[in-house]
Amino acid sequence: MLDIYAGPVAKQKLQEQGFNPELFSTFLGASGGPKWFSLYGLDKYLFGEFFKEKSSSLDLIGSSAGAFRASCLAQDDPVNAITELAYRYAETDFTLDASPQGVTRAAEQLLTQILPHDHMQQVLNNERFKVHFITALCSGAVAQESKLKQGIGLTKSLFNNALGRQRLTQQYQRVVFSTANAPLKYQEASVFSTEYVSLDEQNFHQALLASGAIPMVMLGIQDIPGAPLGMYRDGGIIDYHFDFKVESEGLTLYPHFNSKPKAGWFDKNLKRTANAHNYDSTVMLVPSDEFIHNLPFNKIPDRTDFEKLDTSTRIRYWHKVFEETEKLAESFQEAVDHPTKAVIKDLPF
């Protein structure tokens, strides 16, 4: 049901020490909208059981949906919080007003439901789990709300990225909003300018909303308190599935819905994948092809379901996926309990 992949460094440590939660210092949560529903059961098990008694700190790095997950998993009751996010998201009908203004209002309402003030405080004050929300600070036409201008800017980004990911640095700067006292240390081939901003009560909701502000679909977030002035959009533009190496003595745990991660949003339709060397110390937990084939419609959820399915069919389908993902959690728990029997595969990219 669950495929476990590991880079060479991670694989050796797992073979020597098993799935010890203290081995991990980083947790990744990728963009992808409702695709993350395929990881729901895993999220509940990982933060309800696996990491529950972890004594050392854990950095939760997320863009877009991954940032929303991180904001739930760092709460005092992560299982209840991630359940609230999953079911409230599933039952939100973003098609009632599909304009950027309407989708933004629906996202704001969802955010207030899953992160009331006291829950936000839990994340800000969490000493073990430190969250890092990735956003993209835009310049030029992509910073405009006019769909025409934004479309022109995104077309330029598409061509720039095809010529080389490094060229996207002309239009985007990475801004990371964090509860940690020190910035993350990582290496990447395409060096984006990166700014670190401390999360607080004044910027928390705006930063999280910005991390998921999909271009053309949602409004951007302008001038976030405490951060450089400008227009902020979806962190997945730069870090869709991540293509950097976190500099840490610990391993990275990465539950992901795809075994071949793409670096940025504009790589979705390219053969280009992330650099495998950046995953030397990473363990990926991926739903198997067999698991996906047995889901309704033989696929994991995605944003096109809003357009292709009527509301009641979509909600039933997504709820069924939630139930099925418990099998992934059981599969990982089996690997934790019996590490010598666990099948750990080499990275497939």
Side-chain angles (χ1 to χ4, degrees):
M1 286 295 173
L2 181 71
D3 287 332
I4 303 175
Y5 299 98
V9 174
K11 188 173 185 178
Q12 181 177 348
K13 287 192 176 183
L14 292 181
Q15 291 171 340
E16 293 172 350
Q17 302 182 47
F19 289 87
N20 182 346
E22 301 300 336
L23 283 175
F24 297 95
S25 59
T26 306
F27 178 89
L28 293 181
S31 300
K35 291 178 181 178
W36 78 267
F37 288 163
S38 62
L39 307 173
Y40 168 66
L42 271 175
D43 278 354
K44 287 201 301 176
Y45 172 74
L46 288 172
F47 286 83
E49 298 293 335
F50 185 67
F51 287 132
K52 187 175 183 179
E53 304 300 329
K54 179 174 167 59
S55 59
S56 55
S57 65
L58 187 72
D59 288 306
L60 282 65
I61 305 172
S63 63
S64 199
F68 274 73
R69 288 165 62 205
S71 74
C72 292
L73 298 174
Q75 292 183 33
D76 291 352
D77 188 346
V79 173
N80 181 68
I82 201 69
T83 298
E84 281 279 300
L85 174 61
Y87 280 88
R88 287 187 182 277
Y89 188 134
E91 292 165 13
T92 298
D93 189 355
F94 289 96
T95 63
L96 291 175
D97 182 353
S99 68
Q101 293 81 2
V103 174
T104 301
R105 280 194 295 270
E108 289 172 338
Q109 182 177 10
L110 175 66
L111 192 55
T112 58
Q113 291 170 336
I114 65 169
L115 272 166
H117 185 267
D118 59 328
H119 290 223
M120 177 183 67
Q121 284 293 342
Q122 292 171 13
V123 180
L124 290 172
N125 297 328
N126 196 320
E127 294 296 327
R128 283 194 306 148
F129 299 152
K130 306 294 186 180
V131 300
H132 309 267
F133 303 153
I134 298 177
T135 67
L137 178 58
C138 305
S139 61
V142 286
Q144 305 300 312
E145 287 297 7
S146 160
K147 280 202 169 184
L148 176 60
K149 292 180 180 178
Q150 199 177 147
I152 292 172
L154 292 172
T155 301
K156 180 181 177 181
S157 300
L158 190 67
F159 282 105
N160 273 338
N161 185 68
L163 294 172
R165 181 166 151 81
Q166 182 69 39
R167 295 173 67 98
L168 288 178
T169 60
Q170 301 170 13
Q171 296 175 280
Y172 306 100
Q173 173 186 356
R174 180 189 291 119
V175 179
V176 182
F177 292 84
S178 172
T179 58
N181 294 324
L184 293 168
K185 294 182 179 179
Y186 54 84
Q187 300 174 1
E188 61 177 333
S190 299
V191 184
F192 285 84
S193 172
T194 302
E195 184 88 15
Y196 290 91
V197 179
S198 294
L199 279 168
D200 57 31
E201 292 184 16
Q202 283 67 48
N203 62 22
F204 192 100
H205 278 190
Q206 290 184 58
L208 184 52
L209 197 62
S211 186
I214 306 168
M216 306 290 280
V217 175
M218 288 177 60
L219 298 175
I221 306 300
Q222 183 80 35
D223 299 340
I224 299 176
L229 298 178
M231 179 66 76
Y232 290 80
R233 299 195 189 278
D234 198 312
I237 293 173
I238 299 173
D239 297 304
Y240 190 56
H241 298 163
F242 312 110
D243 192 18
F244 52 69
K245 184 175 183 178
V246 178
E247 295 182 357
S248 172
E249 294 182 2
L251 302 182
T252 296
L253 187 61
Y254 189 13
H256 192 38
F257 45 81
N258 190 312
S259 62
K260 297 180 181 179
K262 301 288 188 176
W265 196 50
F266 295 100
D267 291 325
K268 287 191 293 184
N269 296 319
L270 301 180
K271 293 182 178 180
R272 182 191 303 163
T273 60
N275 185 336
H277 292 299
N278 288 333
Y279 284 70
D280 284 348
S281 298
T282 298
V283 178
M284 294 186 69
L285 307 179
V286 183
S288 67
D289 291 340
E290 177 189 4
F291 174 82
I292 295 173
H293 180 73
N294 287 322
L295 293 177
F297 307 108
N298 310 119
K299 71 175 194 68
I300 64 174
D302 60 63
R303 285 197 298 117
T304 66
D305 295 337
F306 285 109
E307 304 163 8
K308 296 178 180 179
L309 304 174
D310 63 76
T311 301
S312 60
T313 300
R314 175 183 59 78
I315 292 176
R316 285 196 304 272
Y317 160 39
W318 286 4
H319 283 194
K320 180 62 175 177
V321 171
F322 295 156
E323 296 172 10
E324 291 297 309
T325 60
E326 299 294 342
K327 296 175 182 177
L328 299 180
E330 293 168 3
S331 183
F332 183 63
Q333 184 175 7
E334 182 70 18
V336 173
D337 293 341
H338 305 284
T340 57
K341 297 181 181 179
V343 177
I344 303 174
K345 302 179 181 181
D346 293 331
L347 296 172
F349 57 95

